[in-house]
């Protein structure tokens, strides 16, 4: 077999736009490039000089799927800079808001973006002809997530109710109560969805990577914790930029990331979170993980869809606990005084750990901003896994090879818009 | 339900503009909603018997001209409908039909647009097209009009 190039010009069912370029020498892989060509969006520069209060609303605009993550990382980082400690009530409501985003994002990805790959369909629309009940279920889960974000965030997309110190307005108890019947149905549906995806036929493929996520002694990680790695390290979030390095590569407008101490890429996201925090999953999710046979340290990226299912179950269960028990009361936000300082925070976006760091001045203006989204951190690992995966799927049928490469990329649920910010596949045989 | 699909950018505001003008005339019997992307409709349409969708379109005629289709209509596939992640209005309606979520009656009103630049206002010809659609829809639904609130995506 001669040399050839396989190129997927625009990958479908991923957030944002990018391509995939593969150059082969016979059956040997010469080069794999995730080509991210969306232009840089320059949010960090946009924030400089603006009032710090603008930050959560501006950074929320980075993504229509995970705006809550941007808001959470930004307010926590700014609160660190201003020495603000939020009340336990606000902390619980922020977790509730994050539950909404996980349900909405994971529900969409599982049912409409990723499941078609396992069932042999090119799209969710095509899949809906044979699996209408499952697609309807995915849409209902997404709707629940959107409703919860709307209740706490003021609107479902790009919420506007999150502020430094808390929320502009607290929801009313009766608004919570109205959601409970739908969320009780949703918990059962999420369990059924996880059992459904766990029954898919998974390729025999394992990645040799370091899994990293936040970890917290008392809870499944969302808004705080230390960075935990599958090699056994615990890293304080304040040392994020010391431990991880972003590098520019010629073929991508998104930066690649490696762990400095190893020189290797790493993987963030639901599979890493479940691998490293399984014992902190809610009771139903933990029991379900055992029931569906998810390995204690699962290294097959295709099985991340099961981890997403478990996280939806967790999110419904935690949300229900808060919705049933909580009586939103007290101050909606903490007051604060401006002071010069620096603060950083990492929270768990649906696709992985999202790091923010801000320097603010004594007038409350942003002096410096640093935002490191999960997809850009995962890109180098995705390329490394693709190099390994191609040897499993290479054939004379270039369309089939390209499709299987896309399948793997979708397993990571990349958000190219966030990472620039991804997909077209080109395979070149030399 | 009357759903305006649009954005704050240039002529792409036309779907929202039509929905807002109908809301201003208002009726307790009409629910008006504003959507950013066609897939927003999937969350809303189950509860209604009739759905009127107002959106910007390209490829149907001169700028400012307005057009009406009753779903399903083959002409819709030949035109350009924007939507995030390539989820176009016809794709959303086809999915809804597949899933049994589509109201019994679905009408689509499109106004041909030219530009959708951030910070730009709507062109005069598109505004005139919007006014014509509002008048036609109000005559068509022929129900007593009052003021009701608009719900936004």
């Amino acid at each position: 077999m001669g040399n050839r190039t396989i190129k997927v010009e625009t990958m479908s069912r991923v957030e944002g736009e990018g391509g995939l370029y593969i150059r082969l020498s016979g059956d040997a892989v010469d080069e794999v490039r995730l080509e991210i060509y969306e232009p840089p969006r320059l949010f960090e520069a946009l924030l400089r000089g603006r009032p710090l209060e603008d930050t959560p609303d501006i950074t929320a605009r980075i993504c229509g799927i995970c705006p809550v993550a941007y808001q959470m990382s930004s307010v926590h980082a700014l609160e660190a800079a201003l020495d603000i400690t939020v009340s336990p009530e606000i902390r619980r409501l922020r977790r509730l808001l994050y539950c909404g985003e996980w349900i909405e994002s994971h529900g969409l990805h599982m049912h409409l973006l990723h499941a078609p790959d396992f069932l042999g369909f090119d799209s969710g629309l095509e899949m809906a002809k044979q699996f209408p009940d499952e697609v309807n279920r995915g849409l209902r889960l997404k709707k629940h997530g959107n409703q919860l974000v709307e209740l706490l965030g003021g609107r479902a997309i790009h919420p506007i109710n999150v502020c430094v110190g808390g929320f502009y307005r607290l929801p009313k108890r009766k608004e919570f109560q109205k959601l409970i019947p739908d969320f009780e149905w949703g918990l059962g549906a999420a369990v059924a969805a996880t059992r459904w995806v766990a029954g898919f036929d998974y390729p025999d493929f394992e990645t040799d990577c370091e899994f990293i996520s936040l970890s917290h002694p008392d809870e499944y990680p969302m808004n705080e914790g230390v960075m935990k790695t599958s090699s056994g390290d615990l890293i304080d979030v304040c040392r994020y930029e010391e431990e991880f390095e972003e590098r520019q590569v010629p073929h991508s407008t998104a930066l690649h990331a490696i762990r400095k101490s190893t020189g290797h890429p790493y993987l963030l996201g639901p599979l890493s979170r479940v691998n490293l925090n399984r014992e902190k999953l809610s009771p139903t999710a933990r029991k379900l993980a055992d029931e569906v046979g998810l390995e204690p340290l699962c290294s097959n990226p295709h099985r991340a869809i099961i981890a997403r299912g478990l996280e939806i179950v967790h999110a419904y269960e935690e949300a229900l606990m808060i919705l049933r028990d909580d009586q939103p009361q007290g101050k909606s936000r903490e007051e604060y005084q401006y002071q010069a300082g620096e603060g950083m925070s990492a929270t768990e976006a649906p696709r992985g750990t999202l790091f923010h760091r801000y320097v603010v001045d004594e007038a409350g203006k942003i002096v410096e901003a640093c935002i490191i989204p999960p997809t850009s951190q995962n890109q180098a690992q995705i390329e490394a896994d693709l190099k390994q995966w191609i040897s499993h799927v290479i054939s004379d049928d270039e369309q089939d090879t390209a499709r299987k490469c896309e399948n793997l990329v979708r397993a990571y649920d990349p958000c190219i818009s966030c990472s620039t910010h991804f997909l077209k596949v080109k395979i070149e045989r030399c | 339900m009357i759903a305006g699909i649009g954005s704050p950018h240039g002529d792409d505001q036309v779907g929202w503009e039509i929905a807002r003008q109908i809301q201003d005339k208002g009726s307790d019997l009409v629910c008006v909603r504003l959507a950013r992307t066609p897939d927003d409709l999937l969350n809303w349409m189950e509860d209604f018997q009739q759905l009127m969708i107002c959106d910007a379109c390209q490829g149907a005629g001169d700028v400012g001209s307005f057009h009406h289709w009753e779903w399903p209509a083959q002409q819709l596939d030949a035109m350009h409908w924007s939507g995030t992640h390539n989820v176009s209005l016809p794709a959303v309606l086809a999915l809804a039909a597949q899933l049994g979520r589509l109201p019994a009656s679905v009408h689509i009103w499109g106004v041909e647009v030219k530009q959708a630049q951030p910070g730009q206002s709507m062109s005069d010809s598109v505004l005139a097209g919007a006014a014509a659609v509002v008048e036609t829809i109000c005559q068509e639904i022929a129900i007593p009009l009052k003021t009701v609130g608009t719900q936004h995506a």
Side-chain angles (χ1 to χ4, degrees):
Chain A
M1 197 176 288
N3 301 328
R4 57 181 176 152
T5 301
I6 301 177
K7 188 171 176 69
V8 174
E9 294 291 342
T10 305
M11 243 186 67
S12 58
R13 288 185 279 128
V14 293
E15 304 296 337
E17 292 183 4
L20 183 57
Y21 172 93
I22 302 162
R23 199 177 69 236
L24 301 163
S25 249
D27 282 343
V29 181
D30 270 356
E31 189 178 7
V32 174
R33 300 194 308 243
L34 275 179
E35 295 181 331
I36 294 189
Y37 46 76
E38 281 200 14
R41 294 168 67 196
L42 311 173
F43 271 85
E44 288 135 319
L46 181 69
L47 288 165
R48 278 185 222 136
R50 300 187 72 96
L52 62 89
E53 286 84 2
D54 290 357
T55 307
D57 290 343
I58 290 176
T59 56
R61 290 284 172 166
I62 292 174
C63 187
I65 304 290
C66 51
V68 170
Y70 285 92
Q71 294 193 315
M72 292 296 104
S73 288
S74 66
V75 293
H76 283 285
L78 290 165
E79 286 159 5
L82 298 170
D83 291 325
I84 302 167
T85 303
V86 299
S87 68
E89 179 65 24
I90 289 169
R91 192 178 182 283
R92 271 164 63 89
L93 292 176
R94 285 181 172 175
R95 280 187 71 87
L96 182 60
L97 180 58
Y98 234 141
C99 286
E101 182 159 283
W102 281 17
I103 292 168
E104 162 259 315
S105 178
H106 285 353
L108 175 70
H109 187 262
M110 278 179 74
H111 290 83
L112 286 157
L113 306 182
H114 201 190
D117 284 340
F118 295 98
L119 300 171
F121 299 103
D122 288 332
S123 68
L125 178 61
E126 205 180 288
M127 196 178 94
K129 294 175 190 165
Q130 255 182 271
F131 293 91
D133 294 343
E134 287 79 1
V135 172
N136 263 321
R137 177 178 63 205
L139 291 171
R140 283 189 74 177
L141 299 186
K142 181 179 183 295
K143 183 177 180 178
H144 292 169
N146 284 339
Q147 285 174 322
L148 188 50
V149 173
E150 188 170 0
L151 172 59
L152 283 156
R155 61 186 186 194
I157 314 292
H158 303 137
I160 42 158
N161 190 35
V162 171
C163 62
V164 177
F167 293 90
Y168 289 108
R169 168 193 172 274
L170 292 183
K172 294 183 168 55
R173 181 169 173 76
K174 67 178 182 189
E175 294 176 304
F176 273 13
Q177 307 249 308
K178 276 169 65 177
L179 290 180
I180 291 174
D182 276 349
F183 273 62
E184 287 172 338
W185 177 90
L187 176 56
V191 170
T194 308
R195 288 183 178 136
W196 177 58
V197 301
F200 290 167
D201 188 16
Y202 289 94
D204 185 14
F205 175 69
E206 294 203 335
T207 174
D208 179 22
C209 73
E210 188 171 32
F211 298 99
I212 300 181
S213 86
L214 283 177
S215 187
H216 189 279
D218 304 322
E219 60 197 18
Y220 198 73
M222 282 185 184
N223 270 323
E224 62 181 277
V226 297
M227 303 296 295
K228 183 178 181 180
T229 78
S230 52
S231 47
D233 300 326
L234 293 173
I235 305 159
D236 193 287
V237 169
C238 292
R239 293 186 49 240
Y240 206 98
E241 289 168 284
E242 290 171 38
E243 195 67 35
F244 306 103
E245 180 183 348
E246 286 192 292
R247 291 178 172 174
Q248 201 156 20
V249 292
H251 59 273
S252 174
T253 49
L255 299 170
H256 279 207
I258 57 156
R259 190 171 175 201
K260 287 182 187 172
S261 57
T262 65
H264 295 303
Y266 52 94
L267 187 67
L268 308 173
L271 193 59
S272 296
R273 284 194 293 261
V274 170
N275 276 338
L276 298 169
N277 301 280
R278 184 167 171 151
E279 74 285 0
K280 294 292 185 299
L281 282 167
S282 69
T284 304
R286 202 165 54 237
K287 192 175 158 193
L288 187 60
D290 295 339
E291 177 200 309
V292 301
L294 186 70
E295 304 86 332
L297 185 68
C298 176
S299 298
N300 184 343
H302 296 282
R303 287 168 71 80
I305 192 171
I306 303 174
R308 283 189 190 89
L310 294 170
E311 288 196 333
I312 301 180
V313 172
H314 175 98
Y316 268 109
E317 202 158 27
E318 179 163 348
L320 273 168
M321 188 180 68
I322 299 171
L323 290 171
R324 287 176 180 136
D325 295 348
D326 216 68
Q327 170 74 57
Q329 57 190 357
K331 288 190 296 185
S332 70
R333 57 185 154 149
E334 304 295 334
E335 291 176 7
Y336 54 86
Q337 300 292 319
Y338 292 143
Q339 63 179 42
E342 183 180 35
M344 49 206 84
S345 168
T347 73
E348 287 291 340
R351 292 160 184 82
T353 314
L354 169 62
F355 175 81
H356 284 214
R357 176 176 57 81
Y358 299 97
V359 177
V360 298
D361 66 18
E362 62 282 349
K365 299 280 173 55
I366 301 290
V367 176
E368 188 181 332
C370 172
I371 299 172
I372 308 180
T375 293
S376 72
Q377 297 184 72
N378 279 342
Q379 279 178 89
Q381 187 61 52
I382 298 172
E383 283 189 0
D385 289 349
L386 273 167
K387 280 183 187 158
Q388 204 186 328
W389 173 241
I390 288 166
S391 62
H392 289 65
V393 299
I394 192 74
S395 74
D396 289 338
D397 183 343
E398 298 198 350
Q399 267 194 320
D400 184 60
T401 305
R403 184 176 55 79
K404 285 173 175 163
C405 289
E406 282 191 81
N407 291 353
L408 179 66
V409 175
R410 273 193 289 272
Y412 304 92
D413 189 15
C415 186
I416 299 166
S417 309
C418 282
S419 67
T420 40
H421 312 159
F422 186 82
L423 230 126
K424 298 177 178 181
V425 179
K426 182 178 177 184
I427 304 183
E428 186 176 304
R429 290 187 187 266
C430 315
Chain B
M1 178 172 74
I2 294 174
I5 303 175
S7 75
H9 311 309
D11 289 345
D12 195 34
Q13 298 170 80
V14 69
W16 289 0
E17 179 64 24
I18 295 167
R20 281 185 182 128
Q21 285 190 29
I22 293 172
Q23 174 226 330
D24 288 344
K25 298 177 185 297
S27 166
D28 289 340
L29 299 175
V30 178
C31 172
V32 177
R33 301 203 70 153
L34 305 183
R36 278 268 186 177
T37 66
D39 53 315
D40 286 336
L41 300 178
L42 287 169
N43 284 341
W44 306 332
M45 58 173 63
E46 273 181 307
D47 304 329
F48 298 92
Q49 290 298 312
Q50 293 184 7
L51 172 63
M52 285 192 174
I53 301 164
C54 311
D55 198 0
C57 66
Q58 285 186 312
D62 296 334
V63 173
S65 61
F66 70 92
H67 309 271
H68 171 238
W69 302 272
E70 184 170 1
W71 177 267
Q74 279 191 326
Q75 303 98 301
L76 294 171
D77 293 329
M79 294 166 46
H80 176 71
W81 303 86
S82 65
T84 56
H85 313 129
N86 295 318
V87 185
S88 67
L89 177 59
V92 166
L93 295 177
L95 177 60
Q98 200 71 255
L99 298 173
R101 291 174 168 234
L102 210 56
S105 160
V106 179
H107 290 260
I108 300 148
W109 295 85
V111 177
E112 183 78 13
V113 300
K114 187 176 180 187
Q115 54 82 25
Q117 295 301 312
Q120 298 293 307
S121 53
M122 270 187 292
S123 58
D124 289 342
S125 52
V126 170
L127 267 172
V133 172
V134 170
E135 193 179 329
T136 310
I137 289 178
C138 287
Q139 282 173 359
E140 208 164 280
I141 55 182
I143 48 176
L145 299 169
K146 291 188 213 162
T147 300
V148 290
T150 306
Q151 292 179 285
H152 203 298

